[in-house]
Amino acid sequence: MLKKIKITLLLLCVMQCTFAQEPFSLQQCIDYAIAHNLEIMDSKITNGLRKVDLKIAQNEKLPDLNAYANLYSNFGQGQDVFGTTRRNDNLNGDLGLSANVLLYNHHKLRNEVKKADLFIGVSEAELAVIKRKITIKVMEGYLAIQLNREIARSVDSAVFYGTKQYEKALKTTQAGTTALTVQYEAQANLAREKQKGQKATQEVERAKLNLAQLIQIPDYRTFDVLALDADDQSIAVGYRVDEAIALSLENHPDLKRLKLLQKSNALDRKIIQSDLYPLIKGSAVLGSRYFNSLVTGNEAHFLPQVQDNFSQQVALTISIPIFNKGRVKNAVAKNDLALQQQDVQLQQQFTVISQELEKMYFDYRAFTDQLLASQEMVHSTKMALGFTTKSFDAGMSSIYDLNVSRNNYLNAESEMIQAKYNCLFVSKMIKYYVDEKF
């Protein structure tokens, strides 16, 4: 029994390790988030409801067909045309088929079908907007993991360097060639670097937790992502700012949504105005009646009466509006205001998208300049650290000078990493705004 338990636990560990060894790419993270996001699920249900609304609107042009059957019973006395009072107990009823069909309503039904079809496009555009927002959040979270990982690697190298420095200081102090303060300073510096390492590791785990929660991963501890190649080619942007703005305005789903709502409001105006025109309906009734006197008896039975009393009726109903208390006039005025409001919203969204892209390009140029400057700083501080290390080994510089030089190098490297991922994020945002690709 104990052996079976051990084997089961071993298999569970292997399965967990196998799952943990399958890191997600950026596209896999986005696909997983879109597949499991509740807001997207809700939007898809809304889209399904809009499609049902379209079918309902399309079916309104079909006739209504109903079967009916009524049964009545009368009891008591009644007076005939001759003034004679007698009992009038009877059982009677009718049955048949009735049909109604809309013949004319000044294209109101056709416009309602078009409006329902437009609302399907609106719901699809709303779904695309939600997917777009989630994609950007996932991309931001994915790059945050990459950034914190690089910072953690940089800190790990500092811990390794600090460990070597402490071991060397310990040996030289024990040999009597350096003062005890050198050993204690190296030990304190190593402790600081280890503290930074723990903090960097926690930031990596926090970034993984945030992304795992965003894409609905059940356990972030088994979640990991692939390394991203942040080279110069992936950072480069192949569009001018005016080209990017023009292409983004063509593809942005929020603009498509607003344009579809404008068309829907234009159809609303036609639907409202159709109430000013006559409404024509046709109807037909096929049926028969049955009567049975409970006082005198009835010689005719049910089936013969139904056959003899068979009748047909065809009707045409015309409703001409004369006065509707200004309802149509006020609805048209309200529709005009809604159209004006949507024009303003569309222009506002145009402005927002253009300003966002202009800001992205400004940030991209600024981050690129920062990256170039930080790369030069890393090169300079690295050379300075090398000379300071040699000077320290020769006994010409103190350990304080060495720590300052090393901290300068680590700070420069951290700024370079931050600038690199800032450039990468902004460049991917620009590409996504233009053609929804990375």
Side-chain angles (χ1 to χ4, degrees):
M1 183 67 182
L2 182 60
K3 185 177 180 181
K4 291 183 179 180
I5 294 175
K6 289 181 178 179
I7 293 174
T8 304
L9 291 175
L10 179 62
L11 289 174
L12 289 174
C13 292
V14 170
M15 290 175 62
Q16 184 175 4
C17 292
T18 302
F19 179 77
Q21 290 172 357
E22 297 179 357
F24 281 45
S25 66
L26 175 57
Q27 189 60 51
Q28 286 174 327
C29 288
I30 293 171
D31 293 340
Y32 194 93
I34 290 174
H36 295 82
N37 185 267
L38 296 178
E39 190 176 2
I40 289 179
M41 293 180 185
D42 181 69
S43 183
K44 287 181 179 179
I45 294 173
T46 301
N47 191 22
L49 292 173
R50 298 280 173 82
K51 290 180 180 179
V52 174
D53 289 339
L54 175 60
K55 291 181 180 180
I56 293 173
Q58 290 172 336
N59 290 341
E60 284 298 315
K61 62 183 178 182
L62 301 176
D64 289 327
L65 181 62
N66 299 291
Y68 66 90
N70 300 306
L71 185 65
Y72 310 97
S73 181
N74 296 318
F75 300 94
Q77 293 183 341
Q79 195 175 59
D80 61 16
V81 294
F82 301 104
T84 304
T85 301
R86 64 178 67 184
R87 300 255 339 152
N88 191 23
D89 301 337
N90 63 76
L91 178 68
N92 62 84
D94 53 37
L95 72 162
L97 295 173
S98 65
N100 296 282
V101 63
L102 178 65
L103 299 177
Y104 177 76
N105 63 352
H106 196 65
H107 309 304
K108 181 177 182 179
L109 183 58
R110 185 175 67 183
N111 290 326
E112 286 177 345
V113 171
K114 290 180 179 180
K115 179 182 175 182
D117 190 36
L118 284 176
F119 268 109
I120 293 177
V122 171
S123 64
E124 290 174 350
E126 290 172 346
L127 177 60
V129 170
I130 297 172
K131 289 182 178 180
R132 191 183 187 94
K133 292 179 180 178
I134 292 173
T135 299
I136 292 173
K137 289 181 179 179
V138 170
M139 183 170 60
E140 187 175 5
Y142 191 91
L143 292 179
I145 295 176
Q146 306 293 335
L147 169 63
N148 286 296
R149 274 183 176 173
E150 283 215 31
I151 293 175
R153 282 194 291 268
S154 176
V155 174
D156 286 342
S157 65
V159 172
F160 178 78
Y161 183 86
T163 302
K164 292 293 184 182
Q165 193 65 42
Y166 170 69
E167 291 174 353
K168 182 179 178 181
L170 184 62
K171 292 178 181 178
T172 56
T173 302
Q174 290 174 351
T177 57
T178 56
L180 191 60
T181 54
V182 174
Q183 175 187 334
Y184 289 148
E185 179 61 27
Q187 185 178 3
N189 182 70
L190 177 59
R192 286 193 295 268
E193 297 301 341
K194 286 183 177 180
Q195 185 182 20
K196 290 179 182 178
Q198 291 176 351
K199 184 178 179 181
T201 302
Q202 290 172 358
E203 290 300 321
V204 173
E205 293 301 311
R206 181 178 285 107
K208 287 173 60 178
L209 172 62
N210 292 336
L211 183 57
Q213 289 180 343
L214 177 62
I215 68 177
Q216 305 293 322
I217 292 289
D219 187 3
Y220 84 96
R221 289 167 294 187
T222 60
F223 171 68
D224 202 0
V225 298
L226 291 171
L228 193 65
D229 185 16
D231 56 12
D232 294 337
Q233 186 176 1
S234 63
I235 292 176
V237 176
Y239 303 96
R240 299 195 311 270
V241 60
D242 55 339
E243 293 175 343
I245 291 175
L247 291 172
S248 180
L249 293 177
E250 291 179 4
N251 302 324
H252 204 287
D254 217 9
L255 295 178
K256 293 180 181 179
R257 179 184 65 86
L258 291 173
K259 289 177 182 178
L260 289 172
L261 286 174
Q262 274 189 327
K263 293 180 180 179
S264 174
N265 265 340
L267 286 174
D268 263 338
R269 183 184 183 88
K270 294 180 180 180
I271 292 171
I272 293 168
Q273 291 177 333
S274 63
D275 290 340
L276 297 173
Y277 294 86
L279 177 66
I280 302 176
K281 292 183 178 180
S283 62
V285 179
L286 303 176
S288 185
R289 301 187 74 257
Y290 169 76
F291 180 84
N292 181 20
S293 175
L294 301 178
V295 178
T296 63
N298 191 6
E299 296 180 358
H301 297 289
F302 176 76
L303 290 178
Q305 280 200 48
V306 169
Q307 185 176 1
D308 294 340
N309 295 335
F310 182 73
S311 63
Q312 308 89 32
Q313 179 183 0
V314 178
L316 188 68
T317 304
I318 301 176
S319 176
I320 302 174
I322 296 176
F323 179 69
N324 56 16
K325 297 182 280 190
R327 180 177 56 83
V328 174
K329 181 180 178 181
N330 291 327
V332 169
K334 185 178 179 180
N335 180 262
D336 289 339
L337 292 174
L339 284 172
Q340 293 176 19
Q341 186 180 42
Q342 286 179 346
D343 285 335
V344 173
Q345 291 176 351
L346 187 61
Q347 293 299 323
Q348 185 180 17
Q349 194 62 30
F350 269 104
T351 304
V352 168
I353 294 172
S354 300
Q355 290 177 351
E356 284 179 350
L357 278 167
E358 288 177 353
K359 184 178 182 299
M360 287 179 196
Y361 269 86
F362 179 86
D363 290 341
Y364 177 75
R365 288 190 292 267
F367 292 143
T368 303
D369 293 339
Q370 290 178 15
L371 179 59
L372 294 174
S374 61
Q375 286 173 345
E376 293 180 1
M377 188 181 298
V378 167
H379 178 70
S380 300
T381 54
K382 187 176 182 180
M383 291 183 63
L385 177 59
F387 284 114
T388 306
T389 302
K390 292 178 181 179
S391 178
F392 174 77
D393 293 339
M396 300 177 63
S397 298
S398 68
I399 192 171
Y400 301 103
D401 296 330
L402 181 62
N403 289 339
V404 170
S405 182
R406 184 170 60 246
N407 287 334
N408 289 338
Y409 170 70
L410 293 176
N411 290 335
E413 189 177 35
S414 177
E415 290 180 7
M416 183 190 69
I417 294 171
Q418 185 72 52
K420 180 175 70 173
Y421 278 95
N422 284 338
C423 283
L424 184 61
F425 176 72
V426 175
S427 65
K428 286 189 175 293
M429 283 287 293
I430 293 173
K431 293 173 185 176
Y432 187 70
Y433 261 66
V434 172
D435 54 13
E436 297 189 353
K437 295 179 181 179
F438 302 113

